[in-house]
Amino acid sequence: VLPSAEQAFMLSDKVLDIRPGGRLILPDLNKYYYHETLKIDHGVLDGGGTTVFCMSNQKTTEHGTEYTFDGGVVTNGGIVVVYGGTLAIRTSAQTSAIYGRLIFNTGYDVEVPDGDAPVDFLVDGSFEAGVRGVNKSGDGTMVIRSKTDIENWGGTAGKSFSVKGGSLYYESSETTGTGMGTNNVEVAAGATYGAVGRHIGGYVDLRGNIGNVVLNGAADKTTTFAVGRLDEETGLLKPGSYTIGEGEIAGGVAFKTAGTLKLAADAGGVSSLVVNGAFTLSGNDELQIVGPTDSFGLTPGVYEIVKTTEPMETVFKTITYYGDVLPKNLKVTSTDTLITLRVSPKGMVILIL
């Protein structure tokens, strides 16, 4: 690949196809604009440590192209920009991954099928999209580990990010930045939204929303909100914290009809959810605590697992550990603004006030 010093244009009827075991290392130049079809089949596109653009359909005279990841990897400074073309994730036993930046120029629909890997599509770096928002569909699992805030996801138009199927896990800093920012997340029945980090808004959109998570469950198909980090090697949920709203900036979490709040626990601690605003339950929801084993080694003590600034309107209908009764050394206690998990060496008491 020998582009000019500034950019490389490839005809849209050409195909760059990196096969299993193949690795394309781009030279250390300024920018690359690829207008052809890009296929990475268990191979690697190496950015060479520089800024790399793989742009789709940049010119209005070009027809839309397709970027296909079939267990393929973009790494080492790679930036994938989808601008009018199609990003296709294929079913694979290996995670398709972008270690760099993924940019959707005007919003996008991302379909991720369910393969054999615990994580089907990983973006580890940063994620950006236009004001039209992004929809995640398909039965697979997508993970975004964002090293930058995602304020422009919904932009000043306040569009929602929709999880229409499968699972979407978002990870940002748990202590700094705005994280998910002003963007609203809407989760369809049967889908899962998992998160750790921050969801700190500050801009009220035309519908009056600021950084809300809305779980649209159904009586026969619940929706899951998982607080924690997803281990891409094992598929297990690890403890982490998620903060929605902060100070004078309000946010909210709302369960509609039926849903599950899933929290992880292990020897390192318990997941916690902090809501500066309303935490609304439907009356048919489950609090589920998950861990690697029935005796996950938590230090005896009291853990704050849900904390709100506005009184909760109702309580969880059921509280389980891996879908079964709580181990004898766990006790869940609720007030109108705080839910705690008490860990003791033995005994089993469940008390909801």
Side-chain angles (χ1 to χ4, degrees):
V1 181
L2 297 174
S4 67
E6 293 298 323
Q7 55 195 10
F9 291 99
M10 290 188 178
L11 298 177
S12 56
D13 61 350
K14 303 300 181 184
V15 176
L16 174 59
D17 191 351
I18 307 175
R19 303 291 178 87
R23 187 182 191 95
L24 173 61
I25 303 176
L26 297 173
D28 188 9
L29 296 177
N30 188 20
K31 292 183 179 180
Y32 298 86
Y33 295 94
Y34 290 107
H35 292 276
E36 85 302 359
T37 298
L38 170 65
K39 296 181 179 180
I40 309 178
D41 181 0
H42 295 79
V44 177
L45 175 61
D46 190 325
T50 105
T51 300
V52 178
F53 286 89
C54 298
M55 300 192 83
S56 173
N57 197 22
Q58 186 195 34
K59 291 183 177 180
T60 57
T61 56
E62 306 251 12
H63 59 74
T65 58
E66 181 175 292
Y67 296 167
T68 302
F69 288 78
D70 191 347
V73 174
V74 172
T75 189
N76 200 11
I79 299 179
V80 175
V81 181
V82 179
Y83 185 33
T86 300
L87 175 67
I89 309 298
R90 303 301 187 200
T91 302
S92 175
Q94 177 177 305
T95 300
S96 296
I98 297 175
Y99 295 95
R101 295 170 63 191
L102 174 61
I103 302 173
F104 293 128
N105 189 268
T106 57
Y108 209 72
D109 293 328
V110 187
E111 183 174 358
V112 181
D114 187 17
D116 294 333
V119 175
D120 299 290
F121 184 37
L122 169 66
V123 179
D124 190 340
S126 65
F127 183 88
E128 302 170 29
V131 297
R132 296 180 185 175
V134 176
N135 299 320
K136 189 276 173 191
S137 62
D139 295 331
T141 298
M142 179 177 177
V143 173
I144 299 174
R145 293 192 184 126
S146 185
K147 296 177 175 62
T148 59
D149 298 332
I150 312 185
E151 280 292 349
N152 68 328
W153 224 357
T156 55
K159 298 296 184 179
S160 294
F161 183 91
S162 298
V163 186
K164 295 185 174 181
S167 301
L168 184 281
Y169 287 83
Y170 168 72
E171 302 178 5
S172 70
S173 169
E174 297 182 50
T175 57
T176 61
T178 60
M180 186 67 76
T182 61
N183 302 284
N184 300 302
V185 180
E186 296 183 2
V187 191
T192 295
Y193 173 62
V196 291
R198 293 160 67 80
H199 196 153
I200 312 300
Y203 172 83
V204 182
D205 71 19
L206 299 178
R207 293 169 293 177
N209 297 320
I210 303 179
N212 295 320
V213 176
V214 180
L215 300 119
N216 298 306
D220 60 342
K221 187 180 292 187
T222 63
T223 299
T224 300
F225 182 18
V227 179
R229 299 181 183 276
L230 189 70
D231 188 318
E232 65 183 90
E233 299 296 330
T234 65
L236 294 175
L237 189 67
K238 301 294 185 180
S241 66
Y242 195 54
T243 300
I244 299 180
E246 187 174 69
E248 297 180 355
I249 302 172
V253 176
F255 285 84
K256 304 292 183 67
T257 307
T260 298
L261 175 64
K262 181 183 291 187
L263 305 177
D266 62 21
V270 185
S271 292
S272 62
L273 174 64
V274 178
V275 181
N276 182 51
F279 180 73
T280 306
L281 296 170
S282 70
N284 296 303
D285 308 302
E286 176 184 350
L287 170 62
Q288 187 178 96
I289 301 171
V290 299
T293 64
D294 285 344
S295 56
F296 41 75
L298 265 176
T299 302
V302 178
Y303 297 85
E304 295 183 352
I305 54 178
V306 178
K307 187 176 182 179
T308 71
T309 58
E310 296 184 16
M312 287 177 271
E313 297 181 6
T314 184
V315 296
F316 287 99
K317 183 177 182 179
T318 57
I319 303 174
T320 64
Y321 175 76
Y322 260 129
D324 205 347
V325 296
L326 289 174
K328 294 182 179 180
N329 64 324
L330 300 185
K331 171 185 173 183
V332 174
T333 304
S334 299
T335 68
D336 59 352
T337 59
L338 182 65
I339 302 176
T340 61
L341 174 68
R342 183 182 297 274
V343 180
S344 58
K346 56 185 176 180
M348 182 183 105
V349 180
I350 302 176
L351 177 62
I352 303 177
L353 301 176

